Amino acid sequence: MRWLMAVLVSCLLGTAQAAEPPVEQTAVVEQLLQLTDTRGFLARYSLGTNLDELASDIPPDLHQAIQGALVRTFRPEALYGSFVKAFHAGYEKEKATAALEWLSSPAGIKVTQAEKDSRTPSSEAAMRQFIAQSDTSSPSERRTSLVQRLMRAQDVVSALVELDLATFYGVAKPIDQLRPPERRLGPKGLAAVADSMRNNQPYDELERSLLSALLFTYQALSDDELERYVEFSETDAG
């Protein structure tokens, strides 16, 4: 769901500010995060950033301290806590209610289970095999069209790029503050690096890879079930 990615980006950038939420809102958020297996999603989340390269001009004796701080920040429980705060900051009752209704439906539960299954340790090898087989046994035109609609509805290519950039920023900002003053990039410099990274992404290649990955992820769903998910994703609550 696109809001899950958006909340994680906000969480990593540290832009979310939320007052103490009401009890009713807390209960809805907890249900949503449970139904989307957000803990499982965050447990598989990786920094994906080369610390040595980012910290190349910082004294080596500080590297271990930096690594420890990042591990504490990005460990699943800490990330989950930050995620919950970011979710509350952007909470919209109407959208949350609609999402809860969808996620609690049989089709919504099946979608979440398919996504959970795709995150198992063995899924990477299974995905490679699936993609290899698709070279000789292509999915139906309807199936491909549905997944492409899902990708557009959730804007998954841009969302993943922004997630990578938010991760870079979340790691690079504290490291930059430890650089010698004359070598610091500062907020504007880091933003310029992120913009350059964004502009140089291989978007066509990412789109092809994601199409294959999503065809694999939702292979257990029938076309009709997948279409219901696409239709929900095309709503404001999706």
Side-chain angles (χ1 to χ4, degrees), residues 179-198:
R179 288 192 173 102
E182 68 277 5
R183 298 291 301 277
R184 289 174 191 163
L185 297 175
K188 290 184 178 179
L190 290 173
V193 173
D195 285 341
S196 176
M197 293 169 64
R198 182 182 294 108

Side-chain angles (χ1 to χ4, degrees), residues 35 101-115 229:
L35 287 168
E101 182 179 351
W102 157 257
L103 289 165
S104 302
S105 70
I109 291 170
K110 192 167 182 179
V111 166
T112 300
Q113 187 60 52
E115 292 168 347
Y229 180 39

Side-chain angles (χ1 to χ4, degrees), residues 92-234:
E92 295 182 48
K93 183 177 180 179
E94 187 174 331
K95 291 182 180 179
T97 301
L100 189 60
E101 182 179 351
W102 157 257
L103 289 165
S104 302
S105 70
I109 291 170
K110 192 167 182 179
V111 166
T112 300
Q113 187 60 52
E115 292 168 347
K116 288 174 66 175
D117 291 344
S118 73
R119 293 194 291 266
T120 60
S122 61
S123 64
E124 188 173 331
M127 184 179 295
R128 286 197 300 268
Q129 183 179 3
F130 175 85
I131 293 172
Q133 290 175 342
S134 68
D135 291 338
T136 56
S137 178
S138 299
S140 70
E141 184 176 338
R142 183 189 179 195
R143 190 76 171 186
T144 301
S145 177
L146 284 170
V147 172
Q148 289 171 333
R149 275 179 61 191
L150 181 65
M151 291 173 65
R152 288 192 297 271
Q154 298 191 347
D155 197 15
V156 290
V157 176
S158 295
L160 284 175
V161 168
E162 292 306 315
L163 179 56
D164 282 345
L165 295 179
T167 304
F168 160 78
Y169 191 83
V171 173
K173 184 179 178 181
I175 290 176
D176 189 53
Q177 293 171 344
L178 292 175
R179 288 192 173 102
E182 68 277 5
R183 298 291 301 277
R184 289 174 191 163
L185 297 175
K188 290 184 178 179
L190 290 173
V193 173
D195 285 341
S196 176
M197 293 169 64
R198 182 182 294 108
N199 293 334
N200 288 286
Q201 291 291 324
Y203 285 96
D204 290 344
E205 182 181 334
L206 284 172
E207 188 168 347
R208 288 192 296 271
S209 298
L210 282 167
L211 176 61
S212 296
L214 293 178
L215 284 167
F216 167 80
T217 297
Y218 300 116
Q219 61 182 312
L221 275 63
S222 69
D223 286 352
D224 289 344
E225 290 170 332
L226 182 57
E227 185 166 27
R228 287 200 292 276
Y229 180 39
V230 172
E231 289 171 347
F232 168 73
S233 296
E234 290 172 338

